[in-house]
Amino acid sequence: MLKVSDEVKSAYNSDSCIKSLKVIFPELNLTFNNEQIISESFKLKESVLEGDSLEFIGCISSYMSVQIHNLEANVKNRRVEVYVTDNVTNTEIPLFIGVVDSATKKGYEGVKTIEAYDDLYHLGEIDVTDWYNEHPTTTVQRLLVELAELSGFEIDKGITMPNGMITAFCGLYNQASQLSALILLKQICQINGGFGRINRYGKFDMLFLTDELAIKRFPATILFPFHDYNLYPNQPGTVEPTKRPDFTFPFYENVEFEEFNVKAIDKVVIRDYEDEKGVFYGTGNNKYIIQGNLFAFGQTQLDLQIIAGQIYKRTNGTSFTPFKSKNYGLPWVECGDNVYYKDIDGEEEIHRSFFVFSRTLSGIQYMKDTYTTKGQENQSEFITDLGSQIKNLTEQIKKEKEKNEIEELRKRVARLEALVGSVRTVTGLPVDSPISEALWLDVAARESVVDVVEG
């Protein structure tokens, strides 16, 4: 949750508050405000978890769209920043920083629809297979820094990585056959037990989710920049949990929720393959299983247990109620936050608490929010197998390659059959008669035939 004052919260709860949207293209030195922005056209979609299965990975790109009048410049692939301000406190709240993916002009009306994504969006297109396989042994923390430099995204200086100092053997023990920057980033988040995201300031950080823990900021157990070990504190284990900030909705449009909680995680298991027992931390039966993570390969049993213990501290007891709500827009609420709703049960007023995993913020003056959290009650094992995802991707690419090779072979055979038919036609030979080697050498298409056969 972004830190804003009580005055700001009060302003957004007021019917008399006037909100202003500002869209900036910093590379072009262009700024647009309410006068040029089509009323209520703004939309922002954010998420740290979209499926029913609980996976501490995140790395889901945020999406923003807005319509702007009289935008003549070509803004595709340009950086864009969006902020909202209230007229009571004049506090500027960041909403989105990313890159324009599409800019569509609406004919004679002179209106452009801008669609943009944050820096996670294009990481799936960056192949880092050779880079990772040939990378010397380092730490996970250092590898993240180099991956950011390679892929073009920034790291938040306040990021916390519980397992950032473990050794990353890279391709030494397990060579990757197909690896994108996004999948590698997910591997890093998974081994740290956090949701990776691009925050509202356009920088990559990790969100840790439990009822009693807030997002780790200063001070942190491991503090960036990585090369400055004098930053306070420099000893692990010195950070005490703090209560997550929350927001209570005194009124809202609608809330729907399941009458069950997803069972809390009480054991973390790390294993390479499905048929392995693996290394675990915790004594319960509701396991969160990390399977096939690149940074688990080559680790000793003791190191794996320490890694599992660090993840356990960030995931233990995580339980939530699947829900969906519609309410007035609060730009300071982020995915991963706890929100409370006042409810009347008989004569008793109670507060119902929910985690926000996905949200859609829309509008400007009449800003609306939709929050969604999915989940299954009887999910006894949370298995997150990025290794299988990589394997499936590799097999898919292999099948596609084989398919293309077979198709190319069919084309070559067809061309060869056509050449043979042409030779028989020119020479007047019967269709089923053999063709001598001498005759082949006298055919004008000999070069083409040789190319096909040798190819």
Side-chain angles (χ1 to χ4, degrees), residues 120-141:
L120 291 173
Y121 185 68
H122 294 289
L123 296 188
E125 303 170 0
I126 301 176
D127 191 313
V128 297
T129 309
D130 294 338
W131 178 82
Y132 172 81
N133 287 336
E134 298 169 4
H135 199 289
T137 299
T138 183
T139 65
V140 171
Q141 182 173 290

Side-chain angles (χ1 to χ4, degrees), residues 1-2 46-48 57-60 62 118 120 154 185 189 195-200 202-207 215 217 334-337:
M1 184 172 291
L2 295 178
E46 300 174 306
S47 182
V48 294
I57 296 174
C59 296
I60 300 170
S62 295
D118 66 30
L120 291 173
E154 288 188 68
L185 190 62
C189 295
F195 294 105
R197 64 174 184 173
I198 298 295
N199 61 28
R200 295 286 188 83
K203 297 181 180 181
F204 178 80
D205 68 4
M206 289 188 196
L207 168 70
I215 301 173
R217 287 295 179 188
E334 298 179 284
C335 290
D337 286 338

Side-chain angles (χ1 to χ4, degrees), residues 196-437:
R197 64 174 184 173
I198 298 295
N199 61 28
R200 295 286 188 83
Y201 302 97
K203 297 181 180 181
F204 178 80
D205 68 4
M206 289 188 196
L207 168 70
F208 298 96
L209 184 68
T210 67
D211 279 320
E212 298 298 325
L213 290 179
I215 301 173
K216 295 296 189 308
R217 287 295 179 188
F218 300 95
T221 55
I222 300 172
L223 205 57
F224 277 69
F226 71 94
H227 58 270
D228 191 345
Y229 293 103
N230 295 319
L231 291 175
Y232 172 82
N234 57 15
Q235 295 297 323
T238 59
V239 175
E240 294 295 327
T242 57
K243 182 66 177 178
R244 176 188 296 279
D246 55 60
F247 185 85
T248 300
F249 287 89
F251 57 89
Y252 45 88
E253 184 176 333
N254 184 51
V255 175
E256 300 174 2
F257 58 92
E258 299 286 354
E259 292 187 343
F260 66 81
N261 287 338
V262 174
K263 292 181 179 180
I265 294 171
D266 48 25
K267 179 184 285 189
V268 173
V269 180
I270 300 178
R271 66 192 188 194
D272 291 338
Y273 308 105
E274 187 174 355
D275 55 355
E276 285 187 341
K277 181 179 180 181
V279 175
F280 66 89
Y281 191 98
T283 58
N285 296 316
N286 205 47
K287 300 183 286 292
Y288 176 61
I289 300 176
I290 294 175
Q291 184 170 292
N293 188 282
L294 293 174
F295 303 109
F297 288 95
Q299 305 289 349
T300 65
Q301 295 288 301
L302 178 59
D303 286 339
L304 284 175
Q305 193 164 42
I306 294 173
I307 293 169
Q310 290 290 343
I311 297 172
Y312 179 84
K313 292 178 182 178
R314 272 81 184 171
T315 60
N316 175 39
T318 299
S319 178
F320 57 91
T321 304
F323 88 110
K324 183 176 182 179
S325 72
K326 293 181 180 180
N327 32 256
Y328 50 89
L330 302 177
W332 59 85
V333 172
E334 298 179 284
C335 290
D337 286 338
N338 242 343
V339 291
Y340 290 79
Y341 294 83
K342 286 185 178 180
D343 194 10
I344 303 297
D345 188 359
E347 296 182 355
E348 182 183 5
E349 181 181 287
I350 59 176
H351 286 190
R352 300 189 183 277
S353 171
F354 304 98
F355 279 125
V356 177
F357 283 167
S358 297
R359 72 96 63 90
T360 299
L361 180 68
S362 60
I364 302 174
Q365 182 58 37
Y366 303 100
M367 194 171 280
K368 298 292 183 179
D369 251 330
T370 300
Y371 303 145
T372 305
T373 292
K374 300 178 182 179
Q376 297 177 351
E377 179 182 13
N378 298 315
Q379 184 173 337
S380 59
E381 290 187 345
F382 303 100
I383 302 178
T384 303
D385 190 346
L386 289 172
S388 293
Q389 293 181 26
I390 295 175
K391 182 179 179 182
N392 292 340
L393 178 62
T394 302
E395 290 179 352
Q396 179 181 349
I397 293 173
K398 182 180 178 183
K399 289 179 181 179
E400 189 67 26
K401 183 178 179 180
E402 290 175 349
K403 178 182 176 182
N404 293 337
E405 288 177 349
I406 291 173
E407 185 64 28
E408 182 62 27
L409 182 59
R410 286 174 179 168
K411 291 179 181 179
R412 290 178 179 179
V413 170
R415 288 198 297 268
L416 183 58
E417 288 176 344
L419 286 169
V420 171
S422 298
V423 169
R424 290 195 173 105
T425 301
V426 170
T427 58
L429 291 173
V431 175
D432 57 351
S433 64
I435 301 177
S436 68
E437 182 178 356

